[in-house]
């Protein structure tokens, strides 16, 4: 029998055509509705490979049900939705989609920074709602971006790409990361700082750190209080890195000037969430990598990784480097 692949969302046929020529492929019928948990478990029991989205929790239950599973191809750079330790123990490869979305996500991150600082969304709604009756010197006046100080928390590849864009606006670039980046410092003039120094000095604090036990609620009430009252906070990493109640309190108390968010603790965010009532919030539905070109490239990389594993080859982007493949009979 041919290996069986289950895909947890409907994706373009062009992506899976090559897989269908070699394997049996089935996918969930909806593009915008997550696959129900019970169906995912049932499919995992039959599957040799799963192509998953961030919305699916690939936990021990799924991995234990998947007795034949050889690979989880997660359509994202992040993989906090996958129990990598259990997958490794069960000799299941976990793959992600780095690199192909770096520039696209950096574009969106900087666009979110600009939209928040210049009150673009608020201004657009002002016009649409018929509120623009006259011109005045400080009508919807925002803050300059050029020549300001940007602080990037998490200087991975996306962080480096954001820093490159910031250099075009002649911004001073501060960064905090687990390791220093001499190349970025040399090429862009970025300056490594402690976390506390960054949040106290930066006009724009951009969160691009991965979600770990150490970074969960990294941005809490005490951190927001240390920021400038004119500071703008941007999160394009993972929602749980931010304590949303603390952010709401910081914004309503005037501790910071505004926030641009592409991610939230619970997604999709409820329309009655307190943050969405604030005029100085720009909220996006987790679209950091959402361009036609990049989403196609991400899915193609997932397909390539699955094909490689099922054919006994090394995948292109392996997360669990200590993965040991099952010995084929």
């Amino acid at each position: 029998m041919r290996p069986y692949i289950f895909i947890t969302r409907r994706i373009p046929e062009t992506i899976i055509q090559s897989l269908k020529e070699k394997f049996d492929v089935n996918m969930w019928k909806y593009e915008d509705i997550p696959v129900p948990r019970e169906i995912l478990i049932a499919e995992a029991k039959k599957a040799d490979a799963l192509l998953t989205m961030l919305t699916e929790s690939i936990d021990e239950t799924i991995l234990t049900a998947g007795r034949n599973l050889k690979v989880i191809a997660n359509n994202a750079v992040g993989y906090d939705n996958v129990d990598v330790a259990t997958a490794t123990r069960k000799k299941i490869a976990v793959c992600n989609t780095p690199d192909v979305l770096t520039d696209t996500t950096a574009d969106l991150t900087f666009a979110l920074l600009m939209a928040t600082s210049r009150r673009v969304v608020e201004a657009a709604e002002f016009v649409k709602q018929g509120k623009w009756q006259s011109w005045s010197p400080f009508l919807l006046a925002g803050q300059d971006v050029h020549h300001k100080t940007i602080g990037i928390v998490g200087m991975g590849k996306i962080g480096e790409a954001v820093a490159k864009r910031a250099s075009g606006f002649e911004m001073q670039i501060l960064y905090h990361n687990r390791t220093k980046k001499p190349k970025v410092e040399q090429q862009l003039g970025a300056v490594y700082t402690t976390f506390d120094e960054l949040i106290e000095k930066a006009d724009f604090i951009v969160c691009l750190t991965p979600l770990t036990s150490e970074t969960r609620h990294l941005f809490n009430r005490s951190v927001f209080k240390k920021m400038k009252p004119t500071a703008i906070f941007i999160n394009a990493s993972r929602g749980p890195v931010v304590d949303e109640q603390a952010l709401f309190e910081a914004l309503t108390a005037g501790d910071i000037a505004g926030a641009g968010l592409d991610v939230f603790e619970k997604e999709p965010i409820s329309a009655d969430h307190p943050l969405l009532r604030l005029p100085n919030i720009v909220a996006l539905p987790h679209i950091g990598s959402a361009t036609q070109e990049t989403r196609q490239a991400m899915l193609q990389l997932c397909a390539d990784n699955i094909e490689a594993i099922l054919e006994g080859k090394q995948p292109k982007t392996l997360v669990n480097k200590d993965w040991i493949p099952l010995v084929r009979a």
Side-chain angles (χ1 to χ4, degrees):
M1 293 182 61
R2 302 201 307 175
Y4 178 73
I5 302 168
F6 180 67
I7 302 170
T8 63
R9 291 292 178 96
R10 181 167 59 84
I11 64 176
E13 286 289 333
T14 53
I15 299 294
I16 62 174
Q17 191 55 48
S18 61
L19 292 178
K20 283 186 170 182
E21 293 172 3
K22 300 179 180 180
F23 315 111
D24 290 332
V25 180
N26 184 25
M27 64 181 167
W28 178 235
K29 57 187 175 179
Y30 299 109
E31 181 181 347
D32 56 352
I33 300 175
V35 60
R37 178 75 173 175
E38 62 274 16
I39 292 179
L40 180 55
I41 293 173
E43 290 292 340
K45 290 178 180 179
K46 303 182 290 182
D48 295 274
L50 293 176
L51 196 163
T52 59
M53 310 294 152
L54 271 176
T55 47
E56 283 85 54
S57 176
I58 309 302
D59 55 15
E60 188 168 5
T61 300
I62 298 293
L63 297 169
T64 300
R67 295 179 179 273
N68 298 318
L69 273 176
K70 299 173 183 64
V71 55
I72 306 294
N74 204 43
N75 187 46
V77 173
Y79 43 87
D80 45 272
N81 62 311
V82 181
D83 185 344
V84 178
T86 298
T88 303
R89 190 173 70 249
K90 292 181 176 293
K91 299 182 179 180
I92 301 169
V94 178
C95 301
N96 63 342
T97 61
D99 303 329
V100 295
L101 51 67
T102 297
D103 282 322
T104 300
T105 305
D107 284 349
L108 188 281
T109 302
F110 210 81
L112 186 55
L113 182 155
M114 294 189 69
T116 307
S117 62
R118 293 301 304 271
R119 302 173 68 179
V120 171
V121 174
E122 190 180 354
E125 289 303 311
F126 187 84
V127 174
K128 289 182 178 180
Q129 293 168 8
K131 295 180 180 179
W132 188 22
Q133 301 300 316
S134 65
W135 184 91
S136 62
F138 290 95
L139 174 66
L140 290 161
Q143 297 185 38
D144 282 334
V145 174
H146 60 86
H147 298 107
K148 292 291 185 70
T149 299
I150 186 172
I152 301 172
V153 181
M155 188 62 92
K157 291 183 178 179
I158 297 172
E160 292 180 18
V162 170
K164 186 176 180 180
R165 285 150 179 77
S167 69
F169 283 75
E170 300 183 69
M171 301 180 82
Q172 180 183 0
I173 303 166
L174 306 180
Y175 78 97
H176 180 73
N177 198 54
R178 287 177 296 181
T179 57
K180 291 187 177 182
K181 296 296 184 78
K183 185 177 179 181
V184 180
E185 293 177 9
Q186 182 180 12
Q187 292 180 343
L188 301 176
V191 177
Y192 176 85
T193 70
T194 65
F195 179 72
D196 285 342
E197 185 179 0
L198 183 148
I199 62 174
E200 290 171 3
K201 289 185 174 181
D203 298 298
F204 298 93
I205 296 92
V206 179
C207 177
L208 290 167
T209 186
L211 176 62
T212 66
S213 57
E214 290 79 19
T215 62
R216 185 176 293 274
H217 282 193
L218 173 65
F219 289 92
N220 52 41
R221 191 74 174 96
S222 64
V223 168
F224 287 121
K225 283 184 176 181
K226 293 176 183 177
M227 295 179 185
K228 295 179 180 180
T230 54
I232 287 176
F233 175 71
I234 304 296
N235 187 16
S237 58
R238 287 290 179 269
V241 172
V242 179
D243 180 338
E244 290 180 354
Q245 179 60 34
L247 176 58
F248 176 80
E249 292 171 2
L251 288 164
T252 53
D255 293 336
I256 62 174
L261 308 173
D262 186 42
V263 289
F264 299 89
E265 288 200 72
K266 184 177 180 181
E267 296 180 355
I269 188 172
S270 171
D272 60 1
H273 193 290
L275 280 173
L276 301 186
R277 298 200 301 265
L278 302 179
N280 51 347
I281 279 279
V282 176
L284 303 179
H286 203 149
I287 58 169
S289 61
T291 66
Q292 293 287 337
E293 300 92 334
T294 295
R295 288 289 167 86
Q296 290 271 353
M298 291 168 66
L299 289 166
Q300 187 61 59
L301 181 53
C302 286
D304 291 345
N305 281 327
I306 288 174
E307 184 173 350
I309 292 290
L310 295 184
E311 292 186 338
K313 301 173 184 176
Q314 188 71 12
K316 294 180 178 180
T317 53
L318 183 67
V319 170
N320 46 348
K321 305 298 183 183
D322 50 351
W323 162 74
I324 302 173
L326 290 169
V327 177
R328 295 181 180 274

